[in-house]
Amino acid sequence: MLRRIMDECCAQGWNFLFGGTFDLMTKPLIYLVAGARPNFMKIAPIVRALQAHGGLDFKIIHTGQHYDHDMNDVFFEELGIPAPDLFMAAGGGGHAQQTGKIMLAFEELCQQQRPDAVLVVGDVNSTLACSIVAKKLQIPVAHVEAGLRSGDLTMPEEINRLVTDSITDWFFVTEPSGVEHLAREGKPASAVHYVGHVMVDNVLYQAAKLAQSGDQTLDPNGFKAAQAGARYGVLTLHRPSNVDDPVTMARIAEGLREISAELPLIFPVHPRTRANLDKFGIDLGPHVMLVGPQGYMAFLNLWKDAAVVLTDSGGLQEETTALGVPCVTIRENTERPVTVDEGSNVLVGTDPQQMVAQVRLILSGQGKQGRRPALWDGKAAERIVTILAGVLA
């Protein structure tokens, strides 16, 4: 109404403030919340889409849930986004301590400058904490990657997903199972938007940049070059259910030793995983090369050409499906079933025999091929921004 009045006045030749036209309307402001490196991979396409759209203002909020020394200007330059507008420095601690610190800091921020919406991604503690704060301040919440469910309440991420979705206003869903879960939980269909996946937007964007650059420095420890075109595999393990239990870790190691005797593996090791390997006295054998955590582009350069990726990561299940790389997931369940139903992912649990059998199928050319799911086309962020611009206008 106010905008219409101002437009009519200007049309009649009225001047405001020193003879110029005057616009009291400001763009809606969205806080984009990220707490850890993978979160930034998800908000990066949204930032680029917001910049292209131009109708919404935004601020990038880094809660500091995970502080990464490597998350410097180069990292954000790789993603094609500006550095965060605010760093909260929440730090580590137990789940309750960390969540509480983030809530306190985020509430103070929202009271200083109230946004028109808060957008959270994924399922980390920052997702939960900032959603609760926003909702109690009656600020609408948008959840990207809404509706994912593993059914495993021993996973902290599953609890974060359930609680966040219980108070979300706009649900941005990556796959059909998310729509089904939210419908079963009673969410209104008008609030649920199947848009595709921003993580896929990002990996397609980065893979294209990598292909154009031809950067030969993105080879950790020269492993890829040393293969001289021969096949290799990439391994990641970090889930507490896998790496904090000595019996489970020993079972996984048994399978990895047998696989690596046929296919050399490179393993960028999470610090907690490395500590537990030492603590439990577990030997992965001479054909598994352990290296430190990798930058995004270096890691992408590594796994995109792998014969197989073995992982317990949720994000890698999706990224490998996006690029058609065979993936063997060392978990009993997945909150991303489309990667199994349609993509290149296979669940094997922690049974060493199943791990070995699936890798051998892949190496013999008999593994599943899979395909990229619907709407995993690199345009999910554009769809999200279009919807947000419509509801916030």
Side-chain angles (χ1 to χ4, degrees), residues 135 140-147 164-174 178-179 182-183 185-195 383-384 387-388 391:
K135 198 64 177 179
V141 175
H143 185 199
V144 175
E145 279 194 324
T164 299
D165 281 344
S166 72
I167 56 176
T168 287
D169 294 277
W170 304 303
F171 305 86
F172 295 109
V173 181
T174 61
V179 177
L182 292 169
E185 292 166 12
K187 305 301 185 292
S190 60
V192 177
H193 306 280
Y194 178 24
V195 293
R383 298 182 187 105
I384 291 170
I387 292 166
L388 287 176
V391 296

Side-chain angles (χ1 to χ4, degrees), residues 53-382:
H53 184 277
L56 300 168
D57 279 339
F58 66 90
K59 287 190 174 181
I60 303 172
I61 312 302
H62 186 350
T63 67
Q65 176 177 331
H66 294 160
Y67 179 72
D68 188 337
H69 288 285
D70 293 328
M71 197 178 282
N72 51 29
D73 291 344
V74 174
F75 172 75
F76 294 104
E77 185 179 334
E78 280 186 346
L79 293 176
I81 64 172
D85 295 282
L86 183 71
F87 178 68
M88 290 182 179
H95 288 290
Q97 182 182 28
Q98 187 178 74
T99 303
K101 286 191 292 185
I102 295 169
M103 289 179 71
L104 287 169
F106 192 63
E107 182 178 56
E108 182 177 349
L109 172 64
C110 289
Q111 289 172 335
Q112 289 173 354
Q113 184 179 16
R114 182 185 178 91
D116 295 284
V118 169
L119 183 146
V120 296
V121 298
D123 50 26
V124 298
N125 288 340
S126 298
T127 308
L128 170 70
C130 295
S131 298
I132 292 173
V133 167
K135 198 64 177 179
K136 287 194 173 184
L137 293 176
Q138 299 183 19
I139 300 169
V141 175
H143 185 199
V144 175
E145 279 194 324
L148 296 181
R149 301 288 182 267
S150 69
D152 183 357
L153 288 176
T154 67
M155 297 174 64
E157 298 92 341
E158 183 74 353
I159 296 168
N160 291 345
R161 295 178 199 117
L162 287 165
V163 176
T164 299
D165 281 344
S166 72
I167 56 176
T168 287
D169 294 277
W170 304 303
F171 305 86
F172 295 109
V173 181
T174 61
E175 61 169 271
S177 73
V179 177
E180 295 163 8
H181 292 312
L182 292 169
R184 190 160 51 247
E185 292 166 12
K187 305 301 185 292
S190 60
V192 177
H193 306 280
Y194 178 24
V195 293
H197 202 346
V198 292
M199 196 72 158
V200 174
D201 289 10
N202 191 63
V203 76
L204 295 178
Y205 173 86
Q206 300 293 358
K209 283 182 64 175
L210 190 61
Q212 292 171 1
S213 71
D215 194 337
Q216 299 301 310
T217 67
L218 299 174
D219 185 4
N221 300 77
F223 174 86
K224 193 172 178 180
Q227 304 313 308
R231 295 191 296 185
Y232 64 88
V234 173
L235 168 67
T236 75
L237 288 172
H238 73 279
R239 295 244 172 227
S241 59
N242 281 339
V243 304
D244 290 352
D245 184 322
V247 175
T248 301
M249 194 65 202
R251 281 166 51 83
I252 294 172
E254 179 186 340
L256 295 175
R257 284 192 296 270
E258 189 168 348
I259 290 167
S260 64
E262 303 174 27
L263 181 76
L265 300 177
I266 184 167
F267 184 7
V269 191
H270 188 283
R272 190 179 75 252
T273 305
R274 186 181 286 271
N276 284 343
L277 287 171
D278 294 338
K279 177 182 175 182
F280 303 148
I282 293 175
D283 180 17
L284 298 179
H287 304 297
V288 179
M289 182 177 182
L290 276 62
V291 297
Q294 302 298 305
Y296 182 85
M297 291 294 271
F299 186 53
L300 172 59
N301 183 54
L302 191 62
W303 68 257
K304 73 179 180 65
D305 296 318
V308 62
V309 171
L310 297 110
T311 188
D312 59 8
S313 162
L316 260 179
Q317 294 175 56
E318 295 168 324
E319 289 182 306
T320 49
T321 279
L323 296 189
V325 177
C327 180
V328 173
T329 297
I330 306 171
R331 284 173 52 182
E332 303 295 339
N333 52 54
T334 180
E335 64 282 358
R336 294 157 166 91
V338 75
T339 64
V340 176
D341 297 341
E342 299 183 33
S344 58
N345 185 28
V346 179
L347 281 178
V348 295
T350 59
D351 182 343
Q353 294 181 346
Q354 287 295 320
M355 292 167 55
V356 173
Q358 284 297 332
V359 171
R360 284 177 174 161
L361 276 176
I362 291 166
L363 295 180
S364 68
Q366 301 178 62
K368 67 181 297 189
Q369 297 300 309
R371 61 181 177 84
R372 192 182 297 167
L375 298 184
W376 286 26
D377 56 3
K379 298 180 180 179
E382 296 176 25

